[in-house]
Amino acid sequence: MNDSHYCPHTPEEIKEMLSVVGVSSVEELFAPIPSELRAKTFNIPSGMSEFETFTRMQAIASDNSAAMVNFIGGGFYDHIIPAVVDHLSGRAEFYTAYTPYQPECSQGTLQALFEYQTAICRLTGLDVSNASLYDGATACAEAAMMALRVTGRNRIVVDGCVNPFSRQVLKTYLYNQDVEVVEIAPLDGLLNHVALAACLDERVAAVLVQNPNFFGCIEDMSPLAAQVHAVGALLVASVYPVSLGLIMSPGEMGVDIAVGDGQSLGNPLSFGGPSFGFIAAKKAFIRNMPGRIVGETVDKNGKRGFVLTLQAREQHIKRHKATSNICSNQGLCALRGLIFLSSVGREGLAELARLNRDKAEYAKACLSTIPGVAVLQSAPTFNEFTVFLPKPAAPVVTELLRQGIAVGVPLGDYYEDSANALVVTVTEKRTKKEIDRLADVLRAEL
Amino acid sequence: MELIYEQSVPGRRGVKLPASDVPSALALPEGLLRKEPAGLAEVSELDLVRHFTRLSRRNFSVDTNFYPLGSCTMKYNAKVLENSATLFASFHPMTALLPGGEEFCQGNLGMLYDLGQMLADITGMDEVTTQPLAGAHGEMTGILLISAYHRAKGNRKKYVVVPDSSHGTNPASAAIAGYEIITVPTAPYGDMDMELFRQAMNDEVAAVMMTCPNTLGLFNPHIKEISDIAHSFDALMYYDGANLNAIMGKVKPGDVGFDVVHVNLHKTFGTPHGGGGPGAGPVGVKKDLISFLPQPRIVMDDEGTFALKTSSPGSIGRAANFYGNFGIMVRAYAYIIMLGREGLIQVSEQAVLNANYIKERLKPYYDLPYDQTCMHECVFSASRQLAHGVHAIDIAKFLIDRGYHPPTVYFPLIVKEAIMIEPTETESKAAMDAFIQVMIEAAEATESDPRVLLNAPLTMPVSRLDETKAAREQNVCCQG
């Protein structure tokens, strides 16, 4: 009997194969493992049928609460996903393929990644993109390390308005290296330019900012870029791709390396993954860019084709001298991003971005009519904004969760003296009715 | 084939967005506005569907072709795993981190906790983090855990020892984690040279990174001795789980002295690899390292309620945003509970049987530099074919014409003209026999008519591509 129904051999076939190998049992093949090293226990429960497995998975899923109306962001966003994204990315030829090491039989994946890279370059206004990174947070860390390599310096300045998780991941990446991370405390939900000026010197490899930032605020980074470049450092910006339908691109603002999380481009929330990180940069930095890059070329008959390129930078050739340790990318999630962007298209992305901002501005107006609630007004916002409640936000959040509303992310967990503050996110999926209900429930709770 | 941008027509649209039900907001200040919309493709939905369907047909995949890509492990991806993943698609990860939010995600948190427990049992570790997003990300995380362990004892060691047969990610991950690398050569018997290993060890070595079975497909019989020597210098043993699919239920890395392991879920537990990812690289540790694990950690109280522990003083911090590639965990979890104890053992047994079967059948035709009982993969050398001017890459291209994804070529680096074959447990004898026959034909054609190999592939949309031109011109984005 086959315990793993995906092992196809019959007992007769196994017997035949054993005789070819010249052993009398499968067990004999494990003889190279010394007997004293063999496993003494193996406590995995016995297996089950496909039907029973799916039923069990359904039971686990139903241990979660029923659907929650999301006004939370914090790096992952509840956006629409056109049906074509699931259908096309779910095609087995994309889904069950590996890294395209043999370009002739992987042109589908390679061309799709080339088209993806193009979409990212056009979105960010920068020259070159790779075939994706793990996620937005690790992309920030990779961009910082890229800047360390480019400049040969060992200090990274990080705006405290950057997503706290991204800042934590950056510190983890640099945990055992002689690199100093300097964090600048936010001022009124924005980069503290005075504090930045004080620590900007020739030791700084990069300044890492986020736009819109964790408080939801949008800043013009053009003056900042000039200031950072004046000391020979690079400006790295983490950006929210949907916002780029409306907001000036990082390239236009003078950013050297742009990164971000691609989840909002056609990838489900999926409790935090998988997603993809994107990275784009000025052309001069391409050899220092981490991860896979697809390039256009021709075959021996002059026909256009695509290959993984600049691989000499990578771990499988340079080993410990490689540009990074990244071996895969997030090919399938990047493909979803490409299909998403190609389905909304040039005007559609701008429309989507406007829709997000309109809904968020409506919510902002609704919430600001609640007595005691104040909206942070220091800068324009996209689809996230910070509100101050007349009492600590945490218990309010808990109570609203019980009523099926994830009202927002309380800032007290991430910033001292911000116990009353809450970041509220409104995407195109939120209806006027849901926003009105949010305001009503919050009003009743305060 | 045309690029999607070359099919673009201004004004065309692939999806209709919801109409706004709120008033328009005042415009953003001029200086913050994008001047021109990004030049994305403008195509109809049907054009989009045809474009990507055509692209998909230009791919080999496990569902369309035998894919014996050694050490990458391309096994069948059970369809029920995909159905399972859709059950969890709409859950926001921040929900669990909101005050009181864990209550609403008990299913998700419990599943991650159980998966960690099962992976700990399979690997012989005490606790597992699911956070790392890929195998190499797991390696880096694991090495950072090792550095935290040494730092907590007041040591800041300098080196990581890696055999020359290792995956390239091992030395790269250790270097990214701030270590210098000492490479130990492979002895003629196919494992790390014991004498040179002893010479490489000193008090400044933080870790020894090993794959076992290694990339030659060989189980190292000296593994316990190696870990004893490493531990005598207070170096920790790191296990690269890329080849774990060969030994499930047979031997546990934790029992032979390994302190940290990572597991590539797509290699051992049947999650798909999506043309390069997503992956997932959970990391298991022995109890001395638990306090350094990344945050947040999932814990269970006495009543069986799951919670997130978001601060622990010794932790290396966060390796990624949330809890790892959750959708991949769902698939791996479903795979493990479906196959169960006996099924997982059978996976290892059949993978090993299949590799040895191919090894024995092809031995008369290709050089086998390390002729021993192998585990889940076997490594040949095309050196005999090279005498006729045929390289490993030519054999690879010949296989493409015959409908097979080529094995891994030119790896491990220590085998000249390496051809590394990993059939996995899911291939039938008939599929392997057909593949073996084509490999034999390749060997025969080498002697009779090498042009057949040198000109291949002829059946694909493109033939051999100019990689030098791609690297020189760096055209990585569609112009215009």
Side-chain angles (χ1 to χ4, degrees):
Chain A
M1 142 97 194
N2 274 352
D3 290 300
S4 159
H5 25 297
Y6 306 115
C7 294
H9 303 328
T10 63
E12 294 71 36
E13 286 172 323
I14 291 175
K15 222 170 126 188
E16 217 178 308
M17 291 164 72
L18 287 171
S19 82
V20 169
V21 176
V23 292
S24 56
S25 70
V26 173
E27 195 46 47
E28 237 178 272
L29 296 171
F30 289 86
I33 305 175
S35 57
E36 68 274 17
L37 301 184
R38 298 294 292 270
K40 289 172 189 63
T41 59
F42 194 49
N43 297 321
I44 302 295
S46 285
M48 53 180 98
S49 70
E50 174 184 303
F51 175 73
E52 291 164 310
T53 303
F54 189 65
T55 306
R56 174 80 64 86
M57 297 311 287
Q58 283 175 314
I60 294 170
S62 68
D63 281 346
N64 296 314
S65 71
M68 191 76 73
V69 183
N70 273 324
F71 291 96
I72 41 179
F76 264 51
Y77 298 93
D78 187 15
H79 287 292
I80 54 170
I81 300 177
V84 282
V85 176
D86 281 338
H87 281 270
L88 294 172
S89 70
R91 284 189 66 89
E93 302 92 328
F94 289 128
Y95 218 91
T96 71
Y98 197 64
T99 306
Y101 290 135
Q102 298 288 343
E104 297 88 347
C105 59
S106 308
Q107 283 298 299
T109 288
L110 286 161
Q111 182 172 331
L113 288 173
F114 181 81
E115 292 178 1
Y116 157 83
Q117 289 173 184
T118 302
I120 294 301
C121 288
R122 293 180 177 188
L123 204 52
T124 56
L126 286 159
D127 311 317
V128 293
S129 155
N130 80 355
S132 77
L133 295 168
Y134 302 138
D135 71 353
T138 59
C140 281
E142 290 289 350
M145 295 202 295
M146 183 173 157
L148 295 168
R149 288 192 297 273
V150 167
T151 60
R153 300 176 180 182
N154 68 347
R155 182 175 290 192
I156 303 286
V157 175
V158 184
D159 180 9
C161 303
V162 171
N163 185 313
F165 298 162
S166 298
R167 285 183 278 131
Q168 289 172 19
V169 170
L170 171 69
K171 284 183 200 155
T172 300
Y173 265 66
L174 299 173
Y175 177 85
N176 200 39
Q177 293 187 36
D178 294 317
V179 174
E180 195 186 348
V181 178
V182 181
E183 245 179 49
I184 298 174
L187 184 65
D188 211 12
L190 292 168
L191 171 65
N192 183 337
H193 288 266
V194 176
L196 174 71
C199 65
L200 209 50
D201 59 28
E202 269 77 29
R203 289 170 297 180
V204 176
V207 175
L208 173 60
V209 296
Q210 180 178 315
N211 209 24
N213 68 23
F214 194 67
F215 299 87
C217 298
I218 312 170
E219 282 196 78
D220 180 4
M221 293 179 287
S222 311
L224 179 62
Q227 200 184 351
V228 169
H229 292 154
V231 296
L234 303 186
L235 181 61
V236 177
S238 171
V239 292
Y240 175 11
V242 175
S243 78
L244 296 178
L246 188 61
I247 300 173
M248 185 182 274
S249 73
E252 287 174 295
M253 288 191 186
V255 166
D256 299 284
I257 306 171
V259 293
D261 200 300
Q263 177 273 326
S264 54
L265 306 175
N267 283 278
L269 292 163
S270 189
F271 208 51
S275 164
F276 69 92
F278 59 86
I279 183 165
K282 292 177 178 166
K283 182 141 196 182
F285 306 134
I286 189 168
R287 285 183 189 275
N288 278 296
M289 189 177 256
R292 306 285 188 198
I293 301 175
V294 174
E296 184 184 325
T297 188
V298 294
D299 75 358
K300 64 181 183 187
N301 304 315
K303 211 165 169 187
R304 177 168 70 185
F306 303 91
V307 293
L308 291 176
T309 192
L310 298 176
Q311 296 196 73
R313 313 156 304 133
E314 283 194 67
Q315 44 77 25
H316 58 277
I317 293 176
K318 283 260 187 145
R319 294 176 75 85
H320 64 278
K321 294 198 175 90
T323 304
S324 81
N325 69 326
I326 298 171
C327 176
S328 54
N329 57 311
Q330 296 284 106
L332 197 73
C333 301
L335 174 72
R336 293 181 69 97
L338 171 68
I339 298 170
F340 175 88
L341 288 169
S342 304
S343 73
V344 295
R346 179 185 148 98
E347 297 299 332
L349 188 72
E351 188 185 317
L352 180 69
R354 280 195 303 274
L355 206 47
N356 271 260
R357 182 154 182 278
D358 287 350
K359 301 249 181 176
E361 290 296 309
Y362 176 73
K364 209 191 243 184
C366 289
L367 297 186
S368 61
T369 63
I370 302 172
V373 172
V375 174
L376 176 69
Q377 297 288 8
S378 59
T381 56
F382 174 58
N383 71 355
E384 279 180 289
F385 57 91
T386 299
V387 293
F388 300 97
L389 306 183
K391 61 185 193 187
V396 176
V397 169
T398 309
E399 181 48 40
L400 265 65
L401 280 175
R402 296 210 173 105
Q403 300 187 43
I405 300 175
V407 57
V409 176
L411 281 178
D413 289 348
Y414 309 103
Y415 298 92
E416 278 177 31
D417 307 326
S418 298
N420 291 14
L422 190 64
V423 181
V424 179
T425 306
V426 190
T427 68
E428 77 284 354
K429 279 176 80 173
R430 297 290 75 82
T431 60
K432 178 173 178 295
K433 206 170 151 193
E434 287 171 334
I435 298 168
D436 290 342
R437 175 158 180 256
L438 165 73
D440 290 345
V441 173
L442 188 60
R443 181 177 282 116
E445 188 54 34
L446 294 174
Chain B
M1 198 180 135
E2 272 191 326
L3 296 170
I4 189 99
Y5 306 100
E6 292 162 351
Q7 301 166 49
S8 185
V9 176
R12 215 164 257 174
R13 180 80 73 81
V15 68
K16 184 177 175 181
L17 295 171
S20 181
D21 55 0
V22 299
S24 295
L26 289 175
L28 282 170
E30 193 66 26
L32 294 178
L33 281 177
R34 190 167 190 121
K35 306 268 179 288
E36 273 283 302
L40 302 172
E42 299 181 89
V43 291
S44 70
E45 179 170 323
L46 180 57
D47 286 344
L48 187 80
V49 168
R50 287 199 179 135
H51 177 72
F52 286 101
T53 304
R54 282 181 190 135
L55 281 184
S56 75
R57 294 170 65 183
R58 297 181 158 221
N59 258 11
F60 276 21
S61 69
V62 173
D63 280 10
T64 54
N65 300 78
F66 182 28
Y67 224 93
L69 197 57
S71 258
C72 297
T73 312
M74 295 298 285
K75 57 163 82 178
Y76 172 65
N77 309 127
K79 301 309 170 199
V80 69
L81 311 186
E82 302 314 312
N83 292 6
S84 301
T86 61
L87 299 170
F88 299 83
S90 62
F91 221 91
H92 197 294
M94 278 303 280
T95 314
L97 289 160
L98 297 180
E102 291 123 322
E103 184 186 331
F104 303 93
C105 334
Q106 286 296 301
N108 289 351
L109 296 177
M111 195 278 293
L112 285 173
Y113 183 87
D114 283 349
L115 178 64
Q117 298 279 305
M118 293 194 294
L119 292 175
D121 184 31
I122 291 165
T123 57
M125 294 288 143
D126 292 315
E127 188 149 336
V128 168
T129 171
T130 58
Q131 203 170 63
L133 302 174
H137 195 219
E139 289 176 19
M140 189 200 75
T141 306
I143 293 294
L144 289 175
L145 291 168
I146 290 171
S147 73
Y149 165 88
H150 291 305
R151 282 175 169 220
K153 294 172 111 185
N155 303 325
R156 181 149 186 203
K157 298 190 172 204
K158 265 173 80 173
Y159 303 106
V160 168
V161 168
V162 183
D164 65 353
S165 65
S166 77
H167 297 115
T169 48
N170 290 180
S173 296
I176 294 291
Y179 288 103
E180 289 176 40
I181 310 304
I182 300 174
T183 305
V184 181
T186 300
Y189 47 82
D191 302 314
M192 186 164 72
D193 187 300
M194 284 303 285
E195 197 40 51
L196 296 174
F197 170 65
R198 280 195 191 87
Q199 288 169 23
M201 288 305 297
N202 62 64
D203 288 328
E204 288 296 294
V205 174
V208 178
M209 291 183 94
M210 305 271 294
T211 309
C212 189
N214 70 7
T215 53
L216 294 166
L218 306 177
F219 189 89
N220 190 327
H222 308 293
I223 196 68
K224 187 78 177 76
E225 194 184 343
I226 290 169
S227 69
D228 288 345
I229 293 169
H231 289 147
S232 73
F233 290 95
D234 197 24
L236 297 185
M237 290 293 291
Y238 183 95
Y239 184 89
D240 176 332
N243 300 339
L244 184 70
N245 61 323
I247 58 165
M248 283 185 292
K250 298 289 181 184
V251 55
K252 299 182 179 187
D255 292 351
V256 300
F258 286 97
D259 303 286
V260 183
V261 310
H262 85 262
V263 183
N264 308 66
L265 296 186
H266 72 280
K267 295 186 177 187
T268 306
F269 302 109
T271 68
H273 207 252
V283 167
V285 296
K286 288 285 186 63
K287 60 177 181 307
D288 286 354
L289 289 114
I290 291 175
S291 61
F292 308 117
L293 285 171
Q295 316 159 18
R297 272 176 57 205
I298 297 155
V299 292
M300 183 176 74
D301 71 13
D302 295 340
E303 273 109 58
T305 305
F306 302 98
L308 287 172
K309 202 168 165 207
T310 51
S311 71
S312 61
S315 166
I316 59 164
R318 237 172 230 274
N321 259 329
F322 297 106
Y323 329 101
N325 279 338
F326 183 81
I328 307 299
M329 309 300 166
V330 173
R331 293 172 173 89
Y333 183 84
Y335 180 88
I336 295 173
I337 64 166
M338 179 163 60
L339 266 61
R341 182 180 187 279
E342 290 76 17
L344 294 180
I345 292 172
Q346 195 177 29
V347 163
S348 295
E349 290 181 344
Q350 305 292 298
V352 171
L353 174 62
N354 287 358
N356 279 285
Y357 177 70
I358 287 185
K359 175 177 72 77
E360 286 305 315
R361 293 276 322 264
L362 287 179
K363 221 160 81 172
Y365 305 93
Y366 294 90
D367 282 348
L368 187 63
Y370 301 94
D371 187 3
Q372 303 168 31
T373 300
C374 64
M375 301 306 283
H376 60 300
E377 61 196 4
C378 57
V379 181
F380 290 98
S381 165
S383 52
R384 206 186 298 176
Q385 286 70 31
L386 189 58
H388 298 272
V390 170
H391 290 79
I393 193 73
D394 303 317
I395 295 163
K397 302 305 182 193
F398 176 82
L399 288 168
I400 292 175
D401 268 345
R402 303 300 298 270
Y404 293 91
H405 193 284
T408 296
V409 288
Y410 302 107
F411 184 81
L413 306 176
I414 52 173
V415 172
K416 187 179 168 192
E417 296 288 329
I419 300 178
M420 179 197 245
I421 302 172
E422 178 172 9
T424 80
E425 76 282 4
T426 44
E427 291 304 325
S428 69
K429 182 170 174 296
M432 289 190 293
D433 284 340
F435 169 75
I436 288 163
Q437 189 51 41
V438 173
M439 284 293 287
I440 293 170
E441 283 170 30
E444 286 168 354
T446 298
E447 291 174 23
S448 60
D449 186 10
R451 282 171 311 171
V452 177
L453 296 119
L454 300 175
N455 291 334
L458 297 171
T459 59
M460 292 290 109
V462 290
S463 57
R464 295 201 203 189
L465 292 150
D466 186 345
E467 299 197 14
T468 313
K469 177 183 162 77
R472 205 177 49 234
E473 296 180 6
Q474 295 166 24
N475 188 3
V476 301
C477 156
C478 170
Q479 308 301 317

